[in-house]
Amino acid sequence: MEYKAPLEKYTGRIREITLGRGEKSLKIGGSSILPLHHFEGNAANRPVVALEVDDNGAAGWAGSAVEPFKDVVNDPVKWGARCLKLGADLVCLHLEGTDPNGANNTPAEAAALVKRMTQELDSPLIVYGCGDDKKDVEVLTAVAEACQNSNLLLGPAVKENYEAVLKAVADNGHCIIAQTPIDINLEKELSVKLLKQLPPERIVIDPLSSALGYGMEYSFTIMERTRQVGVVYGDAAMQMPVIADLGRECWKTNQARSYGEQGMLWESITALSLLLAGADILVLRHPDNCRLLKEAIEGKI
Amino acid sequence: MILIGENIHIISKAVSEAVRDRDSASIQALAKAQARAGADYLDLNLGPARKEPEEVASWLVDTVQAVADLPISLDTMNPLAMEAGLKLCRKRALLNSASGKAESKEKMMPLAVKYSTQVVISVITDQGCPPDVDSRVESIMETVAYANGLGIDNEDIWVDPIILPVSADQKQVREALEFVRILTDLLPGVKSVVGLSNVSNGTPAPLRGILNRTYMVMLERNGLYSAIADVLDQELIDINRGGLNDAKVLIHRVMDGEPVDADTLPEKEKNYVKTARVLMGDALYSHAWLES
């Protein structure tokens, strides 16, 4: 008698989100199975890998992560194009240069840069503010307005500023990154608030990614639970794709800084782990790891 | 259900200052308000009582007994404060609390025998709070057997399953509920008591009441005997006196896993249904649980 493995049937489905417009657009999410459980059914879209670019000349980056981009780090447009050429599905711009404690670039400068990138790059764009919740409101609002209808993925919207970020995103046709500090209950709370103003097809959850040895297991657990609650238990407030912005966390560890090959391992192991946990978008720094993760996603390794 | 008024609690800034300044009027106002509201016991929570334990306990018991003719639940980890207070209790007191910790067995339980009090015994041991029903059962069987050995009858034991905040560990809410359901089968004659407001610790203040009240209904259905609770919450008192029957029935249906169409209900009932779902673990908790 032929053995037939028992299969779980789930009630929930992760929303499918489209980033970008027209030919440049990319779909993420849409899965009604647990991460990479392709034997269970339809994953809709495979996870995607973004490479990170910043507007601050890669200041503070570990040498090995800069190496493949060292001739273009002062031009984020060229840097982004290089990322795509080296295999990234899309580009993730971190507006580090807008940090009031750093270069303190103006919202208008940031908006002009993002606009140029949307025009010249052949991929959708993820844009993160510097993480200062007040400055981010000004910067993300300017970016959202300047790039109206480019359908960017913009954030982070956090507990302290989500109302203002949400308005900028909703009014200008973008998607939002809902970020909470590694806490499933706060994550749901922010989702519930955002869902009052924005359809779920325009929200991506960022539960915060920690690097291997620096709390990765917490991020893993939260991502895993997010997917379980959304797919297995059908909780509508948790049925959005998850972004794992992990490259920066890995490359700032002492282990990565002290020794390039160790940095490669740190980033790839963290990325593989969070992929298993259920991340739909991985943001990395090194193109070799981008290639490796794409092979893993495609089932080649 | 027997209600033990929780409001004279050293964690409250006003109470802490009143105790420090020996401000009888403030403490007595709280005691009278709770007695008027319908408390059956008054909990006097001194916490660890590090400074002048005996003086503070004696003063507090005398101060409260001067205006309220209710039995006292004396709540402190400090055996010196406990003994000083129990000595002065005019009605049969409730020693709150003993546990399976070695120190508690050695120093607290004998006071219950010496002063012929009733005694709260929690499931806590030297290993901490047991994480599930089975380990709670194991712990309480052992501790109650020890108390019986000292001469404390089951009828004088009020078992505390330890309530943890839903915002911190949602699963524990259900474990405690299940423990209460099976308790009297395990230990015939024992009573049960919970620190009800613990379930809403960490939840924004305006939302705490409905969590407390819903959980009270759920625990009562499973046989809970008493709760240390916010008796100044009028709706909680109303429920305890048989009110809000529609909401109660709906909460029971959620407990039984019956389908309830919350969207068709009036606002108040809808909120009780949503709260029951969160407490049962059917929906993931967030501070915005009433909004989704």
Side-chain angles (χ1 to χ4, degrees):
Chain A
M1 199 174 81
E2 197 190 344
Y3 172 73
K4 204 162 180 297
L7 285 180
E8 297 286 343
K9 278 254 181 270
Y10 307 127
T11 55
R13 172 184 281 280
I14 303 300
R15 302 294 180 142
E16 185 174 75
I17 295 187
T18 303
L19 300 178
R21 291 262 173 243
E23 285 181 7
K24 292 182 182 180
S25 71
L26 193 59
K27 285 182 169 32
I28 53 167
S31 173
S32 54
I33 58 175
L34 292 179
L36 306 179
H37 282 206
H38 295 292
F39 54 88
E40 287 181 335
N42 183 11
N45 303 291
R46 298 203 173 208
V48 296
V49 184
L51 280 172
E52 179 182 339
V53 166
D54 82 15
D55 64 341
N56 203 27
W61 283 41
S64 315
V66 179
E67 187 59 30
F69 305 107
K70 62 181 181 204
D71 53 324
V72 291
V73 289
N74 289 316
D75 183 343
V77 178
K78 284 189 181 152
W79 185 355
R82 174 81 51 86
C83 292
L84 297 174
K85 195 172 153 215
L86 292 174
D89 295 310
L90 71 171
V91 173
C92 177
L93 172 68
H94 269 273
L95 291 167
E96 285 305 310
T98 61
D99 188 342
N101 299 314
N104 203 15
N105 293 346
T106 65
E109 286 169 322
L113 170 63
V114 177
K115 183 154 195 197
R116 208 153 58 84
M117 291 181 77
T118 58
Q119 287 163 347
E120 296 191 28
L121 294 179
D122 283 330
S123 89
L125 200 56
I126 305 166
V127 180
Y128 271 94
C130 66
D132 178 296
D133 58 78
K134 290 193 184 69
K135 181 71 181 276
D136 278 356
V137 168
E138 299 170 33
V139 169
L140 296 174
T141 304
V143 168
E145 287 169 359
C147 303
Q148 209 169 37
N149 297 322
S150 302
N151 196 11
L152 304 168
L153 178 56
L154 271 180
V158 296
K159 189 180 174 189
E160 290 75 17
N161 69 8
Y162 75 89
E163 283 158 314
V165 175
L166 175 64
K167 186 174 185 324
V169 165
D171 290 353
N172 296 286
H174 302 293
C175 297
I176 200 165
I177 300 167
Q179 188 182 75
T180 40
I182 317 189
D183 181 308
I184 193 90
N185 304 118
L186 294 178
E187 182 182 314
K188 179 166 176 178
E189 183 179 2
L190 185 57
S191 285
V192 169
K193 307 270 190 202
L194 295 177
L195 282 167
K196 289 182 184 173
Q197 315 263 347
L198 209 60
E201 290 79 11
R202 287 170 67 186
I203 300 172
V204 170
I205 293 173
D206 179 356
L208 278 191
S209 296
S210 301
L212 176 66
Y214 295 81
M216 184 190 75
E217 54 277 37
Y218 294 96
S219 298
F220 187 100
T221 306
I222 298 294
M223 287 185 193
E224 187 184 37
R225 262 201 92 196
T226 300
R227 179 64 71 93
Q228 285 173 352
V229 169
V231 170
V232 181
Y233 296 99
D235 187 330
M238 304 295 273
Q239 289 173 336
M240 283 74 92
V242 165
I243 183 168
D245 183 24
L246 64 102
R248 53 194 11 249
E249 296 302 317
C250 295
W251 285 99
K252 77 181 180 198
T253 64
N254 288 335
Q255 290 82 352
R257 289 181 170 283
S258 60
Y259 178 37
E261 205 165 325
Q262 212 161 240
M264 295 299 292
L265 286 168
W266 230 260
E267 186 176 55
S268 57
I269 292 168
T270 304
L272 273 168
S273 304
L274 298 182
L275 178 68
L276 289 170
D280 298 277
I281 306 173
L282 299 166
V283 183
L284 308 181
R285 282 189 171 175
H286 203 288
D288 289 353
N289 279 337
C290 171
R291 214 160 21 241
L292 181 71
L293 264 295
K294 286 190 72 172
E295 283 177 16
I297 289 165
E298 286 158 16
K300 291 183 185 156
I301 52 168
Chain B
M1 188 185 302
I2 299 291
L3 292 180
I4 304 168
E6 71 177 7
N7 300 72
I8 301 179
H9 195 303
I10 204 75
I11 285 182
S12 143
K13 193 161 171 274
V15 170
S16 160
E17 284 171 6
V19 168
R20 186 194 64 204
D21 302 338
R22 303 288 192 271
D23 167 9
S24 310
S26 301
I27 297 292
Q28 289 176 338
L30 271 174
K32 282 191 273 191
Q34 293 183 89
R36 242 192 337 263
D40 300 295
Y41 282 71
L42 292 178
D43 193 66
L44 308 184
N45 188 323
L46 296 168
R50 286 200 194 85
K51 272 197 233 163
E52 307 177 283
E54 286 141 318
E55 291 80 352
V56 168
S58 314
W59 175 79
L60 197 59
V61 169
D62 277 341
T63 301
V64 167
Q65 287 190 142
V67 295
D69 189 29
L70 289 174
I72 282 167
S73 155
L74 193 60
D75 197 344
T76 171
M77 290 85 104
N78 187 328
L80 293 174
M82 185 65 83
E83 178 153 19
L86 291 180
K87 266 184 201 170
L88 298 171
C89 287
R90 291 203 291 261
K91 298 203 161 183
R92 193 167 183 220
L94 180 62
L95 186 159
N96 185 9
S97 63
S99 71
K101 286 185 171 181
E103 197 188 346
S104 178
K105 286 175 172 173
E106 188 190 323
K107 293 187 173 150
M108 281 295 183
M109 281 193 198
L111 293 176
V113 180
K114 186 173 176 185
Y115 295 95
S116 182
T117 69
Q118 309 189 75
V119 56
V120 176
I121 297 182
S122 81
V123 295
I124 289 175
T125 67
D126 285 321
Q127 279 76 50
C129 181
D132 55 29
V133 173
D134 289 346
S135 52
R136 277 182 166 87
V137 168
E138 196 182 323
S139 148
I140 204 64
M141 297 300 276
E142 201 276 326
T143 311
V144 167
Y146 182 88
N148 293 155
L150 292 179
I152 303 173
D153 294 335
N154 277 6
E155 283 68 19
D156 286 331
I157 294 174
W158 301 32
V159 171
D160 179 356
I162 297 294
I163 304 303
L164 293 171
V166 65
S167 64
D169 193 345
Q170 204 172 346
K171 191 170 158 282
Q172 287 297 323
V173 171
R174 182 100 184 242
E175 296 290 330
L177 194 59
E178 177 60 13
F179 177 84
V180 167
R181 194 179 67 80
I182 62 174
L183 180 63
T184 47
D185 287 339
L186 293 168
L187 293 164
V190 297
K191 301 178 171 72
S192 50
V193 60
V194 297
L196 185 64
S197 304
N198 248 4
V199 77
S200 62
N201 220 335
T203 296
L207 296 169
R208 293 189 64 175
I210 191 165
L211 275 174
N212 299 343
R213 296 189 296 268
T214 309
Y215 201 35
M216 181 175 79
V217 170
M218 296 166 82
L219 287 159
E220 183 171 38
R221 190 180 198 217
N222 279 7
L224 186 72
Y225 175 75
S226 68
I228 304 168
D230 179 11
V231 295
L232 302 181
D233 176 347
Q234 186 56 45
E235 199 162 313
L236 182 141
I237 296 288
D238 291 346
I239 290 175
N240 198 44
R241 288 180 178 158
L244 272 79
N245 201 47
D246 289 355
K248 266 189 213 166
V249 169
L250 289 164
I251 292 168
H252 293 168
R253 285 175 57 188
V254 172
M255 288 176 79
D256 293 340
E258 287 178 28
V260 178
D261 187 0
D263 291 335
T264 61
L265 297 170
E267 192 67 15
K268 189 173 219 167
E269 279 76 13
K270 191 198 293 186
N271 286 344
Y272 275 107
V273 167
K274 285 179 177 177
T275 307
R277 282 183 180 152
V278 162
L279 291 171
M280 284 301 284
D282 295 343
L284 179 66
Y285 174 83
S286 83
H287 292 337
W289 87 95
L290 293 179
E291 299 171 43
S292 63

